[in-house]
């Protein structure tokens, strides 16, 4: 199992270069085809700003500026991608919103790479829920690169957040190429008491996840905690404690109300992450 087609979101985020480089590292690892997708957001501008006549000559300079910004971002992506030994890469520009264009293209890809939204930059950047939206709408795993600092490479230690849910199971399976290459894998089970009591005597999730990973050649250490607090904060703290290079977790919530109803752990991680996060819904 490997990632053969990877799409990376191309934009003007402060961590854009680090995001492209991280996506290129992943693509180089499996000799995958890398696609840089930039969305000018022209369609949303026309929908939200132009009420009557979208052929008004005064609108043309604005559209040109949006498209020039997109082309400039793609130039940066292309320079980064060209510095890696990739099987192939391409740039694509569309006028749709990132949420829609990424979700549509990601369905044909094995992995989607995004940069973490920076709240300081304001509403001009994609919202923190973009990753959750793309993961849910496409069914493709999403890997977020933090804006605070350039992430470490290669990925040596991975923390897998496990609660026995469907989302956690999908994240684990999609992340297998990375888990198999890692030097160390820790499985974090934060509500160990209740998880152990679920599933009956024939299925003990703590044992079952270790066995499932072992059959894929992944030796994992179980980290059991009875933590009733914020699971997202606990995962990030544990990732720092264990020196993890990547956090793998399920993505929870409802995309229609993503800013209000994202699962607590997902919302905390999207806001406060300091390491790359691999999510699946």
């Amino acid at each position: 199992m490997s990632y053969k087609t990877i799409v990376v979101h191309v934009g003007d985020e402060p961590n854009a270069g680090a995001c492209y480089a991280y996506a290129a590292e992943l693509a180089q690892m499996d000799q995958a085809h890398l696609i840089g997708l930039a969305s000018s957001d022209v369609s949303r501008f026309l929908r939200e700003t132009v009420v009557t006549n979208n052929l008004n000559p005064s609108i043309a300079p604005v559209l040109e500026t949006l498209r020039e910004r997109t082309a400039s971002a793609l130039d940066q992506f292309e320079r980064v991608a060209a510095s890696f030994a990739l099987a192939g890469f391409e740039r694509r520009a569309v006028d749709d919103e990132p949420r829609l264009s990424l979700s549509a293209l990601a369905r044909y890809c094995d992995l989607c790479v995004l940069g973490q939204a920076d709240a300081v930059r304001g509403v001009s950047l994609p919202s923190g829920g973009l990753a959750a939206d793309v993961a849910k709408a496409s069914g493709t795993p999403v890997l977020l690169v933090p804006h605070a600092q350039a992430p470490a490479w290669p990925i040596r230690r991975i923390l897998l957040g496990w609660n026995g849910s469907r989302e956690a199971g999908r994240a684990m399976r999609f992340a297998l190429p990375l888990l198999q290459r890692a030097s160390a894998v820790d499985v974090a089970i934060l509500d160990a008491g209740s998880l152990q009591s679920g599933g009956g005597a024939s299925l003990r999730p703590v044992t079952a996840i270790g066995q499932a990973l072992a059959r894929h050649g992944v030796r994992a250490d179980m980290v059991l905690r009875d933590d009733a607090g914020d699971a997202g904060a606990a995962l990030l703290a544990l990732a720092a404690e264990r020196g993890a290079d990547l956090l793998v977790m399920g993505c929870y919530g409802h995309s229609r109300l993503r800013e209000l109803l994202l699962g607590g752990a997902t919302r905390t991680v999207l806001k406060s992450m300091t390491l790359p996060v691999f999510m699946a819904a």
Side-chain angles (χ1 to χ4, degrees):
M1 181 179 179
S2 59
Y3 307 119
K4 287 303 181 184
T5 308
I6 298 174
V7 58
V8 59
H9 171 60
V10 174
D12 62 353
E13 291 89 338
N15 65 334
C19 186
Y20 308 153
Y22 201 80
E25 293 278 14
L26 290 165
Q28 183 173 262
M29 179 179 69
D30 279 335
Q31 281 299 286
H33 184 75
L34 180 63
I35 303 172
L37 179 65
S39 305
S40 69
D41 236 359
V42 163
S43 63
R44 182 165 61 179
F45 170 79
L46 293 174
R47 185 176 68 250
E48 296 179 355
T49 308
V50 181
V51 178
T52 54
N53 181 14
N54 61 11
L55 298 179
N56 188 321
S58 65
I59 297 172
V62 179
L63 302 185
E64 184 178 356
T65 298
L66 290 173
R67 289 172 176 143
E68 285 177 352
R69 186 182 303 165
T70 296
S72 177
L74 282 167
D75 288 342
Q76 183 188 12
F77 160 76
E78 193 164 6
R79 287 193 296 271
V80 173
S83 68
F84 288 82
L86 304 179
F89 69 88
E90 63 180 287
R91 53 187 283 168
R92 294 191 190 182
V94 295
D95 281 339
D96 218 334
E97 300 173 43
R99 174 178 58 87
L100 300 176
S101 58
L102 279 169
S103 297
L105 181 56
R107 296 185 187 115
Y108 301 93
C109 301
D110 303 307
L111 182 64
C112 179
V113 180
L114 302 171
Q116 178 193 18
D118 185 356
V120 176
R121 294 284 302 280
V123 296
S124 64
L125 291 179
S127 74
L130 175 63
D133 276 356
V134 173
K136 292 175 184 302
S138 68
T140 300
V142 168
L143 196 154
L144 285 102
V145 178
H147 63 70
Q149 60 190 46
W153 187 270
I155 301 169
R156 293 191 173 91
R157 190 175 202 105
I158 297 177
L159 179 67
L160 168 64
W162 186 257
N163 61 2
S165 68
R166 168 190 176 276
E167 292 83 357
R170 283 173 59 80
M172 180 270 288
R173 288 189 291 275
F174 282 132
L176 277 174
L178 300 173
L179 293 167
Q180 290 167 334
R181 287 184 169 93
S183 303
V185 174
D186 298 312
V187 178
I189 300 177
L190 301 180
D191 194 6
S194 64
L195 189 60
Q196 283 286 62
S197 63
S202 62
L203 177 62
R204 294 176 60 82
V206 173
T207 304
I209 182 59
Q211 292 173 338
L213 288 169
R215 292 183 185 114
H216 286 282
V218 178
R219 183 187 178 281
D221 292 327
M222 301 294 136
V223 184
L224 309 183
R225 302 282 171 89
D226 282 310
D227 193 333
D230 186 327
L235 282 173
L236 291 175
L238 188 55
E241 175 188 320
R242 306 290 285 194
D245 302 309
L246 178 71
L247 170 62
V248 175
M249 61 180 289
C251 175
Y252 312 95
H254 305 277
S255 58
R256 288 181 182 273
L257 297 172
R258 61 188 181 279
E259 299 301 334
L260 296 176
L261 298 179
L262 277 177
T266 305
R267 184 171 56 247
T268 299
V269 169
L270 287 173
K271 179 181 178 181
S272 306
M273 55 184 278
T274 55
L275 77 167
V277 176
F278 184 107
M279 298 194 311

